[in-house]
Amino acid sequence: MKILFLHSLAEPELGGGAEQTLWTMMRGLRDAGHECVLLATSYTAGLSRTEQEGITVWKAGIRNVYWPFHKKRPAAPWRLLWHALDSYNPWMQGYLREVVAREQPDVASVHNLPGWSAASWKTLAQLGVPTVQVLHDYYPICIKTSMYKKGRNCAGQCVGCWVFRLPHRALSRHVKAVVGVSRFMLDRHRALGYFEGVPIQRVIHNARDANALGSEAASVIAQHEGLRFGFIGRLDPAKGIEPLIDAFLAADLPNAELWIAGSGRQHDEERLHSKTTDPRIRFLGRVAPRDFYPQVDAVVVPSFWNDNLPGVVFEALAFGKPVIGSRRGGIPEMIRHEENGLLFEPDAPGELQAALEAMADDALRAQLMAQAKPSSAPFVDMAGWVAQYEALYREVSNAAPTSSLQVGA
């Protein structure tokens, strides 16, 4: 099969979990004998074509007021205008039509849509390309892609999201299949009336290549004194990094350290660095997982927002590290409380602090560590994961039009 992947960003090093998952998927399908073509946005004008790792990469210059992946955040009026244009962006569709005409894909796999807009669903349907939408975030129902506003998770669509997402509910019915990377993600979209009547609806959890991740070769025992907690990811308020720092400072853990790896927008980084001068807290910047996980005893994923399926959870488990995670989004789909980690309610005062202090119990930590790596098996089964998508793409490509609804996990 020739599979066209549509995504916002081509460079995995500039993105996050969605980009890592996309490239892992394309490499796996390439190795299985399929031809993979990626079409992504770019800050440079026009349409360009390159080859990377045996994958054809097309980059299309953004036709909006700015490219959304620059580090510095634009002013509010520019962001508002950007979202208005991105609600339904016909100017980007010419790129999509040209690439489809030149590549003639058997199926399209649509991932993150900022920059392309939901108009791409309609364009692909008009071109007769059967389409699978993989939901990594809440873009179809939320302009911020997070369903998180002013420090709270949104119970439904706010007025702004309802206005800017007016076309999306109907347009979502153009796809032939929709995949949620977590059950929570798929159910949230369905509850709001999206992808209604789409014949194939499934949950396929993300996976990582254990060899590429480095979890098979790395030592799982951190060689250091005391207890070391680790946070790795985007330094964003919704990720709960500030409450984690507060809970760590308040906890009765005099011999513990907190290592924080990752980067974020400039103002977020500056605020975090100014928050504490405690030498037990270290900011490492961006660090490769293989260099980070072996150095910590437990990983904390304190997301306040309904994090879809943060790869840091199953990556940490693959390295044999127990995880303290919030009861948000898809996180409880990976952590079994008091088996391979601890779950806490982020809105409950003191629960994160209590979980940090509980992890200091050597017996409990050893028990959780023993179950961590075995519990990661489904998330590092690359062959099985790729086979699920391979079968789905064949099914969509070969399926006759149908109005039945199939829901599976």
Side-chain angles (χ1 to χ4, degrees), residues 164-249:
F164 285 127
R165 292 297 179 259
L166 272 176
H168 291 58
R169 187 175 284 104
L171 290 170
S172 71
R173 297 165 191 162
H174 284 293
V175 304
K176 298 298 182 183
V178 57
V179 173
V181 300
S182 67
R183 169 60 63 185
F184 186 94
M185 175 69 68
L186 180 59
D187 287 350
R188 175 55 62 94
H189 283 79
R190 293 180 62 213
L192 292 172
Y194 287 74
F195 303 102
E196 183 178 340
V198 171
I200 303 171
Q201 302 192 16
R202 293 187 182 152
V203 175
I204 303 178
H205 289 143
N206 293 335
R208 291 282 189 273
D209 183 336
N211 291 323
L213 186 62
S215 60
E216 293 302 316
S219 169
V220 299
I221 301 176
Q223 304 297 324
H224 57 262
E225 297 293 329
L227 176 62
R228 184 178 294 163
F229 295 101
F231 171 97
I232 182 169
R234 191 174 73 252
L235 302 186
D236 182 278
K239 290 288 187 178
I241 181 64
E242 291 184 67
L244 170 58
I245 292 173
D246 292 339
F248 177 79
L249 292 174

Coordinates of all heavy atoms in Angstrom, one line a residue, residues 164-249:
F164 N -15.6 28.4 16.5 CA -14.5 28.0 15.6 C -14.5 26.6 15.1 O -13.8 26.2 14.2 CB -13.1 28.3 16.3 CG -12.8 29.8 16.4 CD1 -12.4 30.4 17.6 CD2 -12.8 30.6 15.2 CE1 -12.1 31.7 17.7 CE2 -12.4 31.9 15.3 CZ -12.1 32.5 16.5
R165 N -15.3 25.8 15.8 CA -15.4 24.4 15.4 C -16.8 24.1 14.8 O -17.2 22.9 14.7 CB -15.1 23.5 16.6 CG -13.7 23.5 17.1 CD -12.8 23.0 16.0 NE -11.3 23.0 16.3 CZ -10.5 24.0 15.9 NH1 -10.9 25.0 15.2 NH2 -9.2 23.9 16.3
L166 N -17.5 25.1 14.4 CA -18.8 24.8 13.8 C -18.8 23.9 12.6 O -19.7 23.0 12.5 CB -19.4 26.2 13.3 CG -20.2 27.0 14.3 CD1 -20.7 28.3 13.7 CD2 -21.5 26.2 14.8
P167 N -17.8 23.9 11.7 CA -17.8 23.0 10.5 C -17.4 21.6 10.9 O -17.7 20.7 10.1 CB -16.8 23.6 9.6 CG -16.4 24.9 10.1 CD -16.7 24.9 11.6
H168 N -16.7 21.4 12.0 CA -16.0 20.2 12.2 C -16.9 19.0 12.5 O -16.6 17.8 12.1 CB -15.0 20.3 13.4 CG -13.9 21.2 13.1 ND1 -14.1 22.5 12.7 CD2 -12.6 21.0 13.1 CE1 -12.9 23.1 12.5 NE2 -12.0 22.2 12.7
R169 N -18.0 19.1 13.2 CA -18.9 18.0 13.5 C -19.4 17.3 12.2 O -19.3 16.1 12.1 CB -20.1 18.5 14.4 CG -20.9 17.3 14.9 CD -22.0 17.8 15.8 NE -21.5 18.1 17.2 CZ -21.3 19.3 17.6 NH1 -21.6 20.4 16.9 NH2 -20.8 19.5 18.8
A170 N -19.9 18.1 11.3 CA -20.4 17.6 10.0 C -19.2 17.0 9.2 O -19.3 16.0 8.6 CB -21.2 18.6 9.2
L171 N -18.1 17.8 9.1 CA -16.9 17.4 8.3 C -16.3 16.1 8.8 O -15.8 15.3 8.0 CB -15.9 18.5 8.3 CG -16.2 19.7 7.5 CD1 -15.2 20.8 7.8 CD2 -16.3 19.5 6.0
S172 N -16.4 15.8 10.1 CA -15.8 14.6 10.7 C -16.5 13.3 10.1 O -15.9 12.2 10.2 CB -15.9 14.6 12.2 OG -17.2 14.4 12.6
R173 N -17.6 13.5 9.5 CA -18.3 12.3 9.0 C -17.8 11.8 7.7 O -18.2 10.8 7.1 CB -19.8 12.6 8.9 CG -20.5 12.8 10.3 CD -21.8 13.4 10.2 NE -22.3 13.9 11.5 CZ -23.2 14.8 11.7 NH1 -23.9 15.3 10.7 NH2 -23.6 15.2 12.9
H174 N -16.8 12.6 7.1 CA -16.3 12.3 5.8 C -15.2 11.2 5.9 O -14.9 10.5 4.9 CB -15.6 13.5 5.2 CG -16.6 14.5 4.6 ND1 -17.3 14.2 3.4 CD2 -16.9 15.7 4.9 CE1 -18.1 15.2 3.1 NE2 -17.8 16.2 4.0
V175 N -14.7 10.9 7.1 CA -13.6 9.9 7.2 C -14.3 8.5 7.3 O -15.4 8.4 7.7 CB -12.7 10.2 8.5 CG1 -12.2 11.6 8.4 CG2 -13.5 9.9 9.8
K176 N -13.5 7.5 7.0 CA -14.0 6.1 7.0 C -13.7 5.4 8.3 O -14.3 4.4 8.6 CB -13.3 5.4 5.8 CG -13.7 5.9 4.4 CD -15.2 5.8 4.2 CE -15.6 6.3 2.8 NZ -17.0 6.4 2.6
A177 N -12.7 5.9 9.0 CA -12.4 5.3 10.3 C -11.8 6.4 11.2 O -11.2 7.3 10.7 CB -11.4 4.2 10.1
V178 N -12.0 6.2 12.5 CA -11.4 7.1 13.5 C -10.8 6.2 14.6 O -11.4 5.2 15.0 CB -12.5 8.1 14.1 CG1 -13.6 7.3 14.7 CG2 -11.8 9.0 15.1
V179 N -9.6 6.6 15.0 CA -8.8 5.9 16.0 C -8.5 6.8 17.1 O -8.0 7.9 16.9 CB -7.5 5.4 15.4 CG1 -6.6 4.7 16.6 CG2 -7.7 4.3 14.3
G180 N -8.9 6.4 18.3 CA -8.5 7.2 19.5 C -7.2 6.5 20.1 O -7.2 5.3 20.2
V181 N -6.2 7.3 20.4 CA -5.0 6.7 21.0 C -5.3 6.3 22.5 O -4.4 5.6 23.1 CB -3.8 7.6 20.9 CG1 -3.4 7.9 19.4 CG2 -3.9 8.9 21.6
S182 N -6.4 6.7 23.0 CA -6.9 6.3 24.3 C -8.4 6.1 24.2 O -9.0 6.8 23.3 CB -6.5 7.2 25.4 OG -7.2 8.5 25.3
R183 N -9.0 5.3 25.0 CA -10.4 5.2 25.1 C -11.0 6.5 25.5 O -12.1 6.9 25.0 CB -10.8 4.1 26.1 CG -12.3 4.0 26.5 CD -13.2 3.8 25.3 NE -12.9 2.5 24.7 CZ -13.5 2.0 23.6 NH1 -14.3 2.8 23.0 NH2 -13.2 0.9 23.1
F184 N -10.4 7.2 26.4 CA -10.9 8.5 26.9 C -11.0 9.5 25.7 O -12.0 10.2 25.6 CB -9.9 9.1 28.0 CG -10.5 10.4 28.6 CD1 -11.2 10.3 29.8 CD2 -10.2 11.6 28.0 CE1 -11.7 11.5 30.3 CE2 -10.7 12.8 28.6 CZ -11.4 12.7 29.7
M185 N -10.0 9.5 24.9 CA -9.9 10.5 23.7 C -11.1 10.2 22.8 O -11.8 11.1 22.4 CB -8.6 10.3 23.0 CG -8.5 11.2 21.7 SD -8.4 12.9 22.1 CE -6.9 13.1 22.9
L186 N -11.3 8.9 22.4 CA -12.4 8.6 21.5 C -13.7 8.9 22.1 O -14.6 9.5 21.4 CB -12.3 7.1 21.1 CG -13.3 6.7 20.1 CD1 -13.3 7.4 18.8 CD2 -13.1 5.2 19.8
D187 N -13.9 8.5 23.3 CA -15.2 8.7 24.0 C -15.6 10.2 24.1 O -16.7 10.6 24.0 CB -15.2 8.1 25.4 CG -15.3 6.5 25.3 OD1 -15.5 6.0 24.2 OD2 -15.1 5.9 26.3
R188 N -14.6 11.1 24.4 CA -14.8 12.5 24.5 C -15.3 13.1 23.2 O -16.3 13.9 23.2 CB -13.5 13.2 25.0 CG -13.6 14.7 25.0 CD -14.8 15.2 25.9 NE -14.7 14.8 27.3 CZ -14.1 15.5 28.2 NH1 -13.6 16.7 28.0 NH2 -14.2 15.1 29.5
H189 N -14.8 12.7 22.1 CA -15.2 13.2 20.8 C -16.6 12.6 20.5 O -17.5 13.4 20.0 CB -14.3 12.8 19.7 CG -13.0 13.6 19.6 ND1 -12.0 13.4 20.5 CD2 -12.7 14.6 18.8 CE1 -11.0 14.3 20.2 NE2 -11.4 15.1 19.2
R190 N -16.9 11.4 20.7 CA -18.2 10.8 20.4 C -19.3 11.4 21.3 O -20.4 11.6 20.8 CB -18.1 9.3 20.7 CG -17.2 8.5 19.7 CD -17.2 7.0 20.0 NE -18.5 6.5 19.8 CZ -19.0 5.5 20.5 NH1 -18.3 4.9 21.5 NH2 -20.2 5.0 20.3
A191 N -18.9 11.7 22.5 CA -19.9 12.3 23.4 C -20.4 13.7 22.9 O -21.5 14.1 23.2 CB -19.4 12.5 24.8
L192 N -19.6 14.4 22.2 CA -19.9 15.7 21.6 C -20.5 15.6 20.2 O -20.6 16.6 19.5 CB -18.7 16.6 21.7 CG -18.2 17.0 23.1 CD1 -16.9 17.8 23.0 CD2 -19.3 17.9 23.8
G193 N -20.7 14.4 19.7 CA -21.4 14.2 18.4 C -20.5 14.2 17.2 O -20.9 14.3 16.1
Y194 N -19.2 14.0 17.5 CA -18.2 14.0 16.4 C -18.0 12.5 15.9 O -18.2 11.6 16.6 CB -16.9 14.6 16.8 CG -16.9 16.1 16.9 CD1 -17.5 16.7 18.0 CD2 -16.3 16.9 16.0 CE1 -17.6 18.0 18.2 CE2 -16.4 18.3 16.1 CZ -17.0 18.8 17.2 OH -17.1 20.2 17.3
F195 N -17.7 12.4 14.6 CA -17.5 11.1 13.9 C -18.8 10.2 13.9 O -18.7 9.0 13.9 CB -16.3 10.4 14.5 CG -15.0 11.3 14.4 CD1 -14.6 11.9 15.5 CD2 -14.4 11.4 13.2 CE1 -13.4 12.7 15.5 CE2 -13.2 12.2 13.1 CZ -12.8 12.9 14.3
E196 N -19.9 10.9 14.0 CA -21.2 10.2 14.1 C -21.3 9.4 12.7 O -21.2 10.0 11.6 CB -22.3 11.1 14.3 CG -23.7 10.4 14.4 CD -24.8 11.4 14.7 OE1 -24.5 12.5 15.2 OE2 -26.0 11.1 14.4
G197 N -21.6 8.1 12.8 CA -21.9 7.4 11.6 C -20.6 6.9 10.9 O -20.7 6.2 9.9
V198 N -19.4 7.3 11.4 CA -18.2 6.7 10.8 C -18.1 5.2 11.0 O -18.3 4.8 12.2 CB -17.0 7.4 11.5 CG1 -15.7 6.8 11.0 CG2 -17.0 8.9 11.1
P199 N -18.0 4.4 10.0 CA -18.2 3.0 10.1 C -17.2 2.2 11.0 O -17.6 1.2 11.6 CB -18.1 2.5 8.7 CG -17.3 3.6 7.9 CD -17.7 4.9 8.6
I200 N -16.0 2.7 11.1 CA -15.0 2.0 11.9 C -14.5 3.0 13.0 O -13.9 4.0 12.7 CB -13.8 1.5 11.1 CG1 -14.3 0.6 10.0 CG2 -12.8 0.8 12.0 CD1 -13.2 0.2 9.0
Q201 N -14.6 2.6 14.3 CA -14.2 3.4 15.4 C -13.4 2.5 16.4 O -14.0 1.6 16.9 CB -15.4 4.1 16.1 CG -16.2 5.0 15.2 CD -17.2 5.9 15.9 OE1 -17.0 6.1 17.1 NE2 -18.1 6.4 15.2
R202 N -12.1 2.8 16.6 CA -11.3 1.9 17.4 C -10.4 2.7 18.3 O -10.1 3.8 18.1 CB -10.5 1.0 16.5 CG -11.3 0.0 15.7 CD -10.4 -0.9 14.9 NE -11.3 -1.8 14.1 CZ -11.0 -2.4 13.0 NH1 -9.8 -2.2 12.5 NH2 -11.9 -3.2 12.4
V203 N -9.9 1.9 19.3 CA -8.9 2.4 20.2 C -7.6 1.6 20.0 O -7.6 0.4 20.1 CB -9.3 2.3 21.7 CG1 -8.2 2.7 22.6 CG2 -10.6 3.1 22.0
I204 N -6.6 2.3 19.6 CA -5.3 1.7 19.4 C -4.2 2.5 20.2 O -3.9 3.6 19.9 CB -4.8 1.6 18.0 CG1 -5.9 0.8 17.1 CG2 -3.5 0.9 17.8 CD1 -5.5 0.8 15.6
H205 N -3.8 1.9 21.4 CA -2.9 2.6 22.2 C -1.5 2.8 21.4 O -1.2 1.9 20.6 CB -2.6 1.9 23.5 CG -3.8 2.0 24.4 ND1 -4.1 0.9 25.2 CD2 -4.6 3.0 24.7 CE1 -5.2 1.3 26.0 NE2 -5.5 2.5 25.7
N206 N -0.8 3.9 21.7 CA 0.5 4.1 21.0 C 1.5 3.1 21.5 O 1.3 2.4 22.5 CB 1.0 5.5 21.3 CG 0.1 6.6 20.7 OD1 -0.5 6.3 19.7 ND2 0.1 7.8 21.3
A207 N 2.6 3.0 20.8 CA 3.7 2.1 21.1 C 5.0 2.7 20.8 O 5.1 3.7 20.0 CB 3.5 0.7 20.4
R208 N 6.1 2.2 21.3 CA 7.4 2.6 21.0 C 8.3 1.4 20.7 O 8.1 0.3 21.3 CB 8.0 3.4 22.2 CG 7.4 4.7 22.5 CD 7.9 5.8 21.6 NE 7.4 7.1 22.0 CZ 6.2 7.6 21.7 NH1 5.4 7.0 21.0 NH2 5.9 8.8 22.2
D209 N 9.3 1.6 19.9 CA 10.3 0.6 19.6 C 11.3 0.5 20.8 O 12.0 1.5 21.1 CB 11.0 0.9 18.4 CG 12.0 -0.1 18.0 OD1 12.5 -0.9 18.8 OD2 12.4 -0.2 16.8
A210 N 11.3 -0.6 21.6 CA 12.1 -0.7 22.8 C 13.6 -0.5 22.4 O 14.3 0.1 23.2 CB 11.8 -2.0 23.5
N211 N 14.0 -1.0 21.3 CA 15.4 -0.9 20.9 C 15.8 0.6 20.6 O 16.8 1.1 21.1 CB 15.8 -1.8 19.7 CG 15.7 -3.3 20.1 OD1 16.1 -3.7 21.2 ND2 15.2 -4.1 19.1
A212 N 14.9 1.3 19.9 CA 15.2 2.7 19.6 C 15.1 3.5 20.8 O 15.8 4.5 21.0 CB 14.2 3.2 18.5
L213 N 14.2 3.1 21.7 CA 14.0 3.9 23.0 C 15.2 3.7 23.9 O 15.6 4.6 24.6 CB 12.8 3.4 23.7 CG 12.3 4.1 25.0 CD1 12.0 5.6 24.7 CD2 11.1 3.4 25.6
G214 N 15.8 2.5 23.8 CA 17.0 2.2 24.6 C 16.7 1.5 25.9 O 17.6 1.3 26.7
S215 N 15.5 1.1 26.1 CA 15.1 0.4 27.4 C 15.7 -1.0 27.5 O 15.8 -1.4 28.7 CB 13.6 0.4 27.5 OG 13.0 -0.3 26.4
E216 N 16.0 -1.7 26.4 CA 16.5 -3.0 26.5 C 18.0 -3.0 27.0 O 18.4 -3.9 27.7 CB 16.3 -3.7 25.2 CG 14.9 -4.0 24.8 CD 14.1 -4.8 25.9 OE1 14.7 -5.8 26.4 OE2 13.0 -4.5 26.2
A217 N 18.7 -2.0 26.5 CA 20.1 -2.0 26.8 C 20.5 -1.2 28.1 O 21.5 -1.5 28.7 CB 20.9 -1.3 25.6
A218 N 19.6 -0.3 28.5 CA 19.9 0.5 29.7 C 19.8 -0.2 31.0 O 19.0 -1.1 31.1 CB 19.0 1.8 29.7
S219 N 20.6 0.2 31.9 CA 20.4 -0.3 33.3 C 19.2 0.4 33.9 O 18.9 1.6 33.7 CB 21.6 0.1 34.1 OG 21.4 -0.1 35.5
V220 N 18.4 -0.4 34.7 CA 17.2 0.2 35.3 C 17.4 0.6 36.7 O 16.5 1.0 37.4 CB 16.0 -0.9 35.2 CG1 15.7 -1.2 33.8 CG2 16.4 -2.1 36.0
I221 N 18.7 0.5 37.2 CA 18.9 0.9 38.6 C 19.8 2.1 38.6 O 20.9 2.2 38.1 CB 19.7 -0.3 39.3 CG1 18.9 -1.6 39.3 CG2 20.1 0.2 40.7 CD1 19.6 -2.7 39.9
A222 N 19.2 3.2 39.1 CA 19.9 4.4 39.2 C 21.0 4.4 40.3 O 20.7 4.0 41.4 CB 18.9 5.6 39.5
Q223 N 22.2 4.7 39.9 CA 23.3 4.6 40.9 C 23.5 6.0 41.6 O 24.3 6.8 41.0 CB 24.6 4.2 40.2 CG 24.5 2.9 39.4 CD 24.2 1.7 40.3 OE1 24.7 1.7 41.5 NE2 23.4 0.8 39.9
H224 N 22.9 6.2 42.7 CA 23.0 7.4 43.4 C 22.5 7.3 44.8 O 21.9 6.3 45.2 CB 22.3 8.6 42.7 CG 20.8 8.3 42.5 ND1 20.3 7.8 41.3 CD2 19.8 8.4 43.4 CE1 19.0 7.6 41.5 NE2 18.7 7.9 42.7
E225 N 22.8 8.2 45.7 CA 22.3 8.2 47.0 C 20.9 8.8 47.1 O 20.5 9.7 46.3 CB 23.2 9.0 47.9 CG 24.6 8.4 48.1 CD 24.6 7.1 48.7 OE1 23.8 6.9 49.6 OE2 25.5 6.3 48.4
G226 N 20.1 8.4 48.0 CA 18.7 8.9 48.2 C 17.7 8.5 47.1 O 18.0 7.6 46.3
L227 N 16.6 9.2 47.1 CA 15.5 9.0 46.2 C 15.5 10.1 45.1 O 15.5 11.3 45.5 CB 14.2 8.9 47.0 CG 12.9 8.7 46.2 CD1 12.9 7.4 45.4 CD2 11.7 8.8 47.1
R228 N 15.4 9.7 43.9 CA 15.4 10.7 42.8 C 14.1 10.5 42.0 O 13.9 9.5 41.3 CB 16.6 10.5 41.9 CG 16.7 11.6 40.8 CD 18.0 11.4 40.0 NE 19.2 11.7 40.9 CZ 20.4 11.3 40.6 NH1 20.6 10.6 39.4 NH2 21.4 11.5 41.4
F229 N 13.3 11.6 42.0 CA 12.1 11.6 41.1 C 12.4 12.3 39.8 O 13.3 13.2 39.7 CB 11.0 12.4 41.8 CG 10.4 11.8 43.1 CD1 10.8 12.2 44.3 CD2 9.5 10.7 43.0 CE1 10.3 11.7 45.5 CE2 9.0 10.2 44.2 CZ 9.4 10.6 45.4
G230 N 11.7 11.9 38.8 CA 12.0 12.5 37.5 C 10.7 13.0 36.8 O 9.6 12.3 36.9
F231 N 10.8 14.1 36.1 CA 9.7 14.6 35.2 C 10.4 14.8 33.9 O 11.4 15.5 33.8 CB 9.1 15.9 35.8 CG 8.2 16.6 34.8 CD1 6.8 16.4 34.9 CD2 8.6 17.4 33.8 CE1 5.9 17.0 34.0 CE2 7.8 18.0 32.9 CZ 6.4 17.8 33.0
I232 N 9.7 14.3 32.8 CA 10.3 14.6 31.5 C 9.1 14.9 30.6 O 8.1 14.2 30.6 CB 11.1 13.4 30.9 CG1 11.7 13.7 29.5 CG2 10.3 12.1 31.0 CD1 12.7 12.7 29.1
G233 N 9.2 16.0 29.9 CA 8.1 16.4 29.0 C 8.0 17.9 28.7 O 9.0 18.6 29.1
R234 N 7.0 18.3 28.2 CA 6.8 19.8 27.9 C 6.6 20.5 29.1 O 5.8 20.1 30.0 CB 5.6 20.0 26.9 CG 5.5 21.4 26.3 CD 4.4 21.4 25.3 NE 3.1 21.4 25.8 CZ 2.3 20.4 25.8 NH1 2.6 19.3 25.1 NH2 1.1 20.5 26.3
L235 N 7.3 21.6 29.3 CA 7.2 22.5 30.5 C 6.0 23.4 30.3 O 6.2 24.6 30.0 CB 8.5 23.2 30.8 CG 9.7 22.3 30.9 CD1 10.9 23.2 31.3 CD2 9.5 21.2 32.0
D236 N 4.8 22.9 30.5 CA 3.6 23.6 30.3 C 2.7 23.6 31.5 O 2.7 22.5 32.2 CB 2.8 23.0 29.1 CG 1.6 23.7 28.7 OD1 0.5 23.5 29.4 OD2 1.6 24.5 27.8
P237 N 2.0 24.6 31.9 CA 1.2 24.6 33.1 C 0.2 23.4 33.2 O 0.0 22.9 34.3 CB 0.5 26.0 33.1 CG 1.4 26.9 32.3 CD 2.0 26.0 31.3
A238 N -0.3 23.1 32.0 CA -1.3 22.0 32.0 C -0.7 20.6 32.4 O -1.4 19.7 32.8 CB -2.0 21.9 30.6
K239 N 0.6 20.5 32.3 CA 1.3 19.3 32.6 C 1.5 19.1 34.1 O 2.0 18.1 34.5 CB 2.7 19.2 31.9 CG 2.6 19.1 30.4 CD 2.1 17.7 30.0 CE 2.2 17.4 28.5 NZ 1.8 16.0 28.1
G240 N 1.2 20.1 34.9 CA 1.2 20.0 36.3 C 2.6 20.1 36.9 O 2.8 19.7 38.1
I241 N 3.5 20.7 36.2 CA 4.9 20.8 36.7 C 5.0 21.7 37.9 O 5.8 21.4 38.8 CB 5.8 21.3 35.5 CG1 7.3 21.4 36.0 CG2 5.4 22.6 34.9 CD1 7.9 20.1 36.4
E242 N 4.3 22.9 38.0 CA 4.4 23.7 39.1 C 3.8 23.1 40.4 O 4.4 23.1 41.4 CB 3.7 25.1 38.8 CG 4.4 25.9 37.8 CD 3.8 27.3 37.6 OE1 3.8 28.1 38.5 OE2 3.3 27.5 36.5
P243 N 2.6 22.5 40.3 CA 2.1 21.7 41.5 C 3.1 20.6 41.9 O 3.2 20.3 43.1 CB 0.8 21.2 41.1 CG 0.3 22.1 40.0 CD 1.6 22.5 39.3
L244 N 3.8 20.0 41.0 CA 4.8 19.0 41.3 C 5.9 19.6 42.1 O 6.3 19.0 43.2 CB 5.3 18.3 40.1 CG 6.5 17.4 40.3 CD1 6.2 16.3 41.2 CD2 7.0 16.8 38.9
I245 N 6.4 20.7 41.7 CA 7.5 21.4 42.5 C 7.0 21.8 43.8 O 7.7 21.5 44.8 CB 7.9 22.6 41.7 CG1 8.7 22.2 40.4 CG2 8.8 23.5 42.6 CD1 9.1 23.4 39.5
D246 N 5.8 22.3 44.0 CA 5.2 22.7 45.3 C 5.1 21.4 46.2 O 5.4 21.5 47.4 CB 3.8 23.3 45.1 CG 3.9 24.7 44.4 OD1 5.0 25.3 44.5 OD2 2.9 25.1 43.9
A247 N 4.6 20.3 45.6 CA 4.4 19.1 46.4 C 5.7 18.5 46.9 O 5.9 18.1 48.0 CB 3.6 18.1 45.6
F248 N 6.7 18.6 46.0 CA 8.0 18.1 46.3 C 8.6 18.9 47.5 O 9.2 18.4 48.4 CB 8.9 18.1 45.1 CG 10.3 17.7 45.4 CD1 10.7 16.3 45.5 CD2 11.4 18.6 45.6 CE1 12.0 15.9 45.8 CE2 12.7 18.2 45.8 CZ 13.0 16.9 45.9
L249 N 8.5 20.2 47.4 CA 9.1 21.1 48.4 C 8.4 20.9 49.8 O 9.0 21.1 50.8 CB 9.0 22.6 48.0 CG 9.9 22.9 46.8 CD1 9.6 24.4 46.3 CD2 11.4 22.8 47.1

